[in-house]
C-alpha cells in the first residue's frame, strides 16, 4: 500500500506487472480473488453472450483475449468454458446496479516548465453499492466502491503498450485516467444526463464500454489522431453512465469526445494544448429547465473558476505548479445535508506530464473545514519509462 488516508476512507495500492498479457491477466485475477473476495461465479454469463463477446474481442482486441485467459486461470476456471466471460474482473461492485455519480474537472494547458500538462480532479463518493441503493448503513460490511483504487502500471511483453493509470471498478479495464509509454493521456468525466436512473444490472455487450475504451486507447494509440480513429471505428456501448473524455498527446494536441444523441461520438480537436471541462456538455445546448439543477450549477461554477484562473494574461505564464493550484480551487468535499456525514469529494488530483512520462498526484486526506475543499496528501510521484 502506497497511501492510506488518515480517516481510513481511502487505501491506494501501486501494482506493477510485467510479462505476457496472459500472465498479467492471471495476476489480476488472483488479486481480485484473494484481496477483494471475487468469486468464480462472477465470471459466468449466458453462453450466447460469452460467444458474441469473445468473437468481438478475437477480431478487435487480442491483447484482452490473452488477459482473459489469464484471469480465468486466476480463478481456477477453464478459459474455453462457453459460460466463462473473463474479459474483465470487477471488484468492490457486489450489487448489479449503476455506480453513483462522478463529478470531475479536467484542465489541459501548455506550461513554460513541463510542456503540456493534463491536470484532473476525480470526484466520487464514499458509498458502497448497498448504501447507494438502499440508504446509508444498510450493509456496513460492504466496501465503498472507490475505497481501494490502484495506481496500475502494466508492461506487456507480447502486445499493447506500457501504461500507468488510476484503476477502479475493474482491475483489468477500469481506467479512470492514465498515460501510456507514448505520452498519450486519457481522462474521463461523467456527462450529466437527466435520464432517470434505473437499478438494473450494468449492461454487458460485445465492444468497449465507457471505461474499457480508455484501456484500449492506452494499449493501441500513440497520438490524439489514433485515439480519434478508435472513437470513430470501434464499437462502444453504454454500460453504467454517460461519460465524456479529454485525450491529450505529447505533441500538445488535445481532443474532447462526447456521445451525441444519435449514438455517434462528437469530437473537438485543439492543437494549442488548451482545454477545460467539468461535467456538463460543452458540445450541445443544455435545456433551460436544467439551469436550477445543483449538479449543473456546480459543474458550471467549477468551469468558470478554471477559466478565470487560466485566462490571466501573458504576464503570468502557466507552470505545472500553477495548474495544481487551479485544480485545488475546484476540489470538492460534500456531506449529507441532514447529518453532516462525509459523502465524498475529490479523491485524487493528478498532474500528467506527457513530455517526461511523469505523474504527480495527491489523494484525499480528509473533508477539510466546513465550506472549503478537502485536505489532500503531499504529492506522490510516478514515472513511466518512455518508448523507444
Amino acid at each position: 500500500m502506497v497511501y492510506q488516508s488518515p480517516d481510513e476512507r481511502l487505501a491506494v495500492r501501486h501494482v506493477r506487472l510485467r510479462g505476457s498479457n496472459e500472465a498479467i491477466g492471471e495476476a489480476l485475477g488472483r488479486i481480485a480473488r484473494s484481496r477483494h473476495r471475487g468469486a468464480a461465479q462472477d465470471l459466468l454469463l449466458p453462453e450466447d453472450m460469452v460467444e458474441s463477446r469473445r468473437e468481438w474481442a478475437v477480431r478487435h482486441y487480442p491483447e484482452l483475449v490473452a488477459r482473459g485467459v489469464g484471469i480465468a486461470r486466476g480463478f481456477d476456471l477453464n478459459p474455453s468454458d462457453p459460460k466463462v466471460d473473463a474479459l474483465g474482473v470487477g471488484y468492490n461492485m457486489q450489487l448489479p446496479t449503476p455506480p453513483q455519480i462522478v463529478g470531475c474537472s479536467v484542465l489541459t494547458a501548455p506550461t513554460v516548465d513541463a510542456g503540456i500538462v493534463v491536470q484532473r480532479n476525480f470526484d466520487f463518493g464514499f458509498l458502497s453499492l448497498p448504501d447507494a441503493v438502499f440508504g446509508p448503513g444498510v450493509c456496513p460490511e460492504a466496501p465503498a466502491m472507490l475505497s481501494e483504487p490502484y495506481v496500475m502500471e502494466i508492461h506487456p511483453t507480447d502486445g499493447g503498450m506500457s501504461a500507468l493509470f488510476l484503476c477502479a471498478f475493474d482491475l483489468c479495464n477500469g481506467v479512470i485516467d492514465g498515460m501510456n509509454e507514448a505520452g498519450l493521456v486519457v481522462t474521463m468525466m461523467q456527462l450529466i444526463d437527466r435520464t432517470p436512473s434505473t437499478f438494473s444490472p450494468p449492461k454487458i455487450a460485445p465492444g468497449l464500454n465507457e471505461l474499457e475504451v480508455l484501456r484500449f486507447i492506452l494499449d493501441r494509440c500513440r497520438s490524439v489522431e489514433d485515439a480519434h480513429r478508435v472513437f470513430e471505428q470501434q464499437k462502444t456501448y453504454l454500460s453504467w453512465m454517460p461519460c465524456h473524455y479529454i485525450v491529450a498527446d505529447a505533441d500538445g494536441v488535445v481532443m474532447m469526445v462526447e456521445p451525441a444523441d444519435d449514438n455517434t461520438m462528437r469530437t473537438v480537436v485543439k492543437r494549442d494544448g488548451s482545454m477545460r471541462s467539468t461535467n456538463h456538455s460543452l458540445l450541445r445546448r443544455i435545456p433551460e429547465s436544467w439551469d436550477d439543477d445543483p449538479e449543473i450549477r456546480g459543474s458550471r461554477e467549477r468551469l468558470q473558476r478554471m477559466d478565470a484562473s487560466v485566462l490571466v494574461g501573458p504576464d503570468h505564464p502557466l507552470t505545472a505548479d500553477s495548474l495544481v493550484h487551479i485544480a485545488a480551487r475546484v476540489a470538492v468535499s460534500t456531506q449529507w445535508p441532514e447529518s453532516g456525514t462525509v459523502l465524498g469529494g475529490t479523491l485524487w488530483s493528478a498532474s500528467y506530464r506527457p513530455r517526461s512520462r511523469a505523474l504527480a498526484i495527491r489523494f484525499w486526506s480528509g473533508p477539510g473545514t466546513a465550506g472549503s475543499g478537502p485536505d489532500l496528501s503531499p504529492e506522490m510521484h510516478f514515472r513511466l519509462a518512455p518508448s523507444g
Side-chain angles (χ1 to χ4, degrees):
M1 189 180 300
V2 295
Y3 176 74
Q4 184 166 39
S5 64
D7 59 12
E8 299 185 349
R9 286 191 170 95
L10 194 69
V12 183
R13 294 179 175 89
H14 178 206
V15 170
R16 182 185 291 112
L17 298 174
R18 184 183 300 273
S20 68
N21 279 293
E22 185 174 329
I24 288 170
E26 184 169 357
L28 295 174
R30 295 199 182 282
I31 290 171
R33 187 179 180 185
S34 62
R35 182 176 296 152
H36 301 291
R37 295 178 292 177
Q41 184 70 28
D42 299 336
L43 302 182
L44 301 182
L45 288 176
E47 291 186 19
D48 58 342
M49 175 74 73
V50 173
E51 181 180 13
S52 63
R53 281 170 53 80
R54 283 183 184 173
E55 287 178 353
W56 179 89
V58 166
R59 289 198 306 271
H60 298 280
Y61 204 177
E63 302 96 326
L64 181 58
V65 174
R67 288 176 203 145
V69 169
I71 289 169
R73 289 181 174 160
F75 281 85
D76 295 332
L77 292 170
N78 180 351
S80 62
D81 186 321
K83 298 186 293 296
V84 171
D85 182 287
L87 299 180
V89 55
Y91 74 106
N92 289 357
M93 296 287 289
Q94 285 83 348
L95 284 181
T97 56
Q100 63 209 55
I101 288 170
V102 180
C104 305
S105 304
V106 176
L107 159 66
T108 73
T111 65
V112 295
D113 59 342
I116 185 174
V117 171
V118 180
Q119 182 74 45
R120 80 97 94 246
N121 289 352
F122 177 68
D123 307 335
F124 207 81
F126 288 116
L127 295 179
S128 68
L129 276 178
D131 286 339
V133 176
F134 304 112
V138 169
C139 188
E141 69 276 11
M145 289 179 282
L146 257 294
S147 59
E148 299 176 274
Y150 285 80
V151 179
M152 195 72 74
E153 188 177 340
I154 304 295
H155 298 274
T157 57
D158 61 349
M161 284 188 275
S162 295
L164 175 70
F165 56 93
L166 270 293
C167 175
F169 304 123
D170 177 345
L171 288 171
C172 184
N173 305 305
V175 175
I176 308 300
D177 45 76
M179 174 173 56
N180 67 14
E181 65 184 52
L184 186 72
V185 178
V186 297
T187 64
M188 56 76 68
M189 297 154 281
Q190 185 223 1
L191 177 62
I192 295 175
D193 188 342
R194 297 272 67 83
T195 303
S197 298
T198 59
F199 294 129
S200 57
K203 183 178 179 182
I204 299 175
L208 301 165
N209 70 26
E210 57 268 30
L211 298 184
E212 292 167 348
V213 67
L214 296 186
R215 185 71 189 94
F216 185 93
I217 287 170
L218 291 180
D219 260 330
R220 297 287 189 85
C221 299
R222 306 188 69 84
S223 67
V224 162
E225 183 180 0
D226 293 341
H228 188 277
R229 283 195 293 269
V230 169
F231 284 108
E232 283 189 328
Q233 299 173 4
Q234 290 298 329
K235 181 178 181 180
T236 59
Y237 69 95
L238 179 63
S239 176
W240 287 324
M241 58 185 170
C243 293
H244 57 178
Y245 309 91
I246 286 182
V247 181
D249 63 30
D251 292 330
V253 183
V254 188
M255 175 174 66
M256 179 181 293
V257 185
E258 182 177 299
D261 293 332
D262 60 359
N263 294 321
T264 61
M265 302 299 281
R266 294 183 181 181
T267 59
V268 171
V269 177
K270 297 181 68 176
R271 299 187 179 277
D272 64 358
S274 178
M275 193 167 283
R276 296 174 290 280
S277 180
T278 48
N279 298 106
H280 63 284
S281 173
L282 299 178
L283 303 184
R284 56 183 173 177
R285 181 178 174 274
I286 298 175
E288 291 183 5
S289 58
W290 293 12
D291 286 348
D292 291 331
D293 182 272
E295 292 177 44
I296 292 286
R297 285 203 310 271
S299 181
R300 282 175 164 166
E301 288 169 0
R302 294 196 312 278
L303 184 61
Q304 288 165 1
R305 286 200 296 272
M306 287 196 296
D307 286 345
S309 298
V310 169
L311 303 176
V312 293
D315 294 336
H316 298 84
L318 292 171
T319 66
D321 283 345
S322 64
L323 297 191
V324 171
H325 293 312
I326 292 171
R329 294 178 198 139
V330 295
V332 298
S333 180
T334 57
Q335 292 82 35
W336 285 108
E338 298 83 2
S339 64
T341 302
V342 174
L343 175 60
T346 299
L347 302 192
W348 61 79
S349 185
S351 176
Y352 288 93
R353 301 164 188 186
R355 189 170 71 185
S356 57
R357 311 303 194 266
L359 166 63
I361 187 167
R362 298 187 298 160
F363 292 101
W364 168 279
S365 180
T369 57
S372 71
D375 296 326
L376 296 174
S377 71
E379 231 174 39
M380 303 178 66
H381 296 269
F382 301 88
R383 185 163 182 166
L384 187 66
S387 58

